[in-house]
Structures are given as C-alpha cells and as structure tokens.
Amino acid sequence: MTQWKHQHLLGLQDLTAEDIELVLDTAQSFKEVSSRDIKKVPALRGKTVVMLFFEPSTRTRVSFELAAKRLSADTLNIAASVSSTTKGETLLDTARNIEAMNVDLMVVRHGTSGAPFILAQGLKCSVVNAGDGCREHPTQALLDLFTLKEKFGRIKGLRVGIVGDILHSRVARSNIWGLTKLGAKVTVCGPATLMPRGIEAMGVEVCYDIRKLIKNSDALITLRLQKERQQDKFLPSLREYGRLFGINREKLAEGSDELIVMHPGPTNRGVELSAEVADGKQSVILDQVTNGVAVRMAVLYLVLGKHDM
Ligand code: CP
C-alpha cells in the first residue's frame, strides 16, 4: 500500500514514481463522480480551499474550484487585481492573513518561480502549486499523464514529444519530471533559441526536426508560445514559428494514425496547431480538460487527508 506523505504539492520534481501513480489511481476512482447526476461526494466536507491566482487562468482555476466543490469543500477565489498586494502588502502577508481565517489549503498561481515554496515555508496550511513562473505546473503534468495512461494503458515505454517554447514552459518541466519518472522516452523539440542549454541532463533527447519527431512519437505535447514571458528576440516571427514547428494536417500525416496530439491550453490556433489538428480526431485536448477535474480532486483529497489508498 502506497501512503501519501506530503503536506504540499509544489512540483513533480519532489515526488516519487509511487506518489505519481497514487495520484493517477486516486483520480481514476474520482473520475466517475463527474458523470453522475449529483456530482458530489462528502470527502472534504468542512474543509476550506482558497484559490489565490496572480496570473490569468481559465482551465486550472475553474477545475480546482469544481474539484473542491465536488468533494464538498468550501471554496473562495481571490484574484490578484482585487487583493491587497496591489496596495503594497507582501505575498506572504496576504497569505498569512487569509490563513488566519482558518483555511485548510491554498491553490497558488504566481508569475515568480518559487512563490508557492515561500508560502509553503511560511504557512501552516497546505499549498498546491497551480503554476509558478517558468518552474512547474504539477497538476497540468499529472492530468497529461492521466490522459496518456487512459489512451495507451501505460506510460512506461511511450515515446512522447514535447514541442515548442521549452525554455519558458513550466508545463514542459513538470511533464519531463513526471514522464521520465514513469519510464516514458521523452524528446523535446523547438527553436534553438527556446531550448534550455543542458536540458539533456533532465533525461530527455533534443530534436530540431518536427517531421522526424512526428514519425517517432506516440504522443505530442504541444506548448503555448508564451508571449508574456519572452521578448521578440527569441523568434523571427509567429509565422516563421508556425511554418517550422506548428502542427498541421500535412505534417501530422507523416506519423502513425494512433499518434495523439495534446495541448495544455490556451491554444494559439494557427501557430502551435492548425484548427483542423486542434479539432481533429487525433486531438485529446478536451479530454485533458475533463481529466483535470478528476486529477485535481485526487490532489486535494490526498494533500488534505494524507490518505492511504
Ligand atoms: N493549462 C493551463 O494552465 O490553462 P489555464 O492558464 O487556463 O489555467
């Protein structure tokens, strides 16, 4: 029996393969709850979960809130634009004041890498990282792993290509930690200017030829070009990026019909993916979003309960 031992979820770098498998197995048991007429179980009744988001979000914030509500927790949303950090209060002071109202868990998204670590060190309640700077987005990687396992029945041995702005991508980093720990073969692909030097030390291969990657992959995780984290110097133009690394029907046809295309969202249509690929039969983008609720239910349940399964 695997036991969950973590008060916080800050990144997949900190988890073992067994921890990750426990989250995926727990998510599997919660997935069915969202298809019921009454989408609720009493697992976290009486607990309070606060969403503290200092960057925009649609999928992550909404699915954490749905996950908490489906576990019967009380939820509260705090957007940075209406918090007292705009009046000069520090992030930790804001969080300590919220904690003083006896909340049990804070879900935090912040543009600064490491911000959830600072909160975890300074608070008594649990902290879950919903994306910090360029560092990690652990629940996105967990839902990607869940989706891969659902489609292929396994992670071990899968050939997964991660395509795009690897340099600025917290999704890429969390996926590399998670996929390599579970035995997938990971290849990263993108413009040389957006490829971190020494990325091979994370246990991945580097490829600059998207057609070769497509021919040799079971799944492609395509990444959003993060205009907010890069200056123009990294790319000649979006059109050039789309021509070289964007996935369209013609490039996709060079791979297996079983190849699946993933994207964490939001998608820049016509840049990372053509509309026909984003909406096509090999795309599992909306399955990823659906699975995000079950995975976040599992994370909240395990972190708040330190439950055995
Ligand atoms: N994948 C992801 O983090 O999407 P949001 O920014 O909409 O939360």
Side-chain angles (χ1 to χ4, degrees), residues 42 148 163 168 180 191 193 267 293:
L148 284 165
V163 184
H168 297 97
T180 54
T193 49
T267 310
V293 177

Side-chain angles (χ1 to χ4, degrees), residues 56-61 109 137 140 264-266:
S57 171
T58 299
R59 284 144 287 264
T60 311
R61 197 198 59 70
R109 170 170 286 191
H137 191 348
Q140 178 66 47

Side-chain angles (χ1 to χ4, degrees), residues 53 55-63 109 130-131 137 139-140 143-144 170-171 224 228 263-266 288-289 296:
F53 275 61
E55 284 189 330
S57 171
T58 299
R59 284 144 287 264
T60 311
R61 197 198 59 70
V62 172
S63 71
R109 170 170 286 191
H137 191 348
T139 57
Q140 178 66 47
L143 74 88
D144 291 342
R170 55 199 182 201
V171 173
R224 181 174 69 89
E228 73 275 25
H263 194 296
Q288 291 172 263
V289 177
R296 289 171 176 128

Side-chain angles (χ1 to χ4, degrees), residues 6 35 46 52 57 60 64 66 68-70 72 92 128 134 140-141 151 159 207 218 232 234 237 256 260 272 291 307:
H6 306 277
S35 59
L52 190 55
S57 171
T60 311
F64 264 115
L66 281 175
K69 283 183 154 67
R70 286 180 187 172
S72 303
L92 185 55
V128 172
C134 301
Q140 178 66 47
K151 299 294 169 195
R159 300 166 303 162
C207 168
D218 300 304
D232 294 341
F234 289 104
S237 69
S256 157
I260 64 167
E272 301 108 28
N291 290 336
H307 301 280

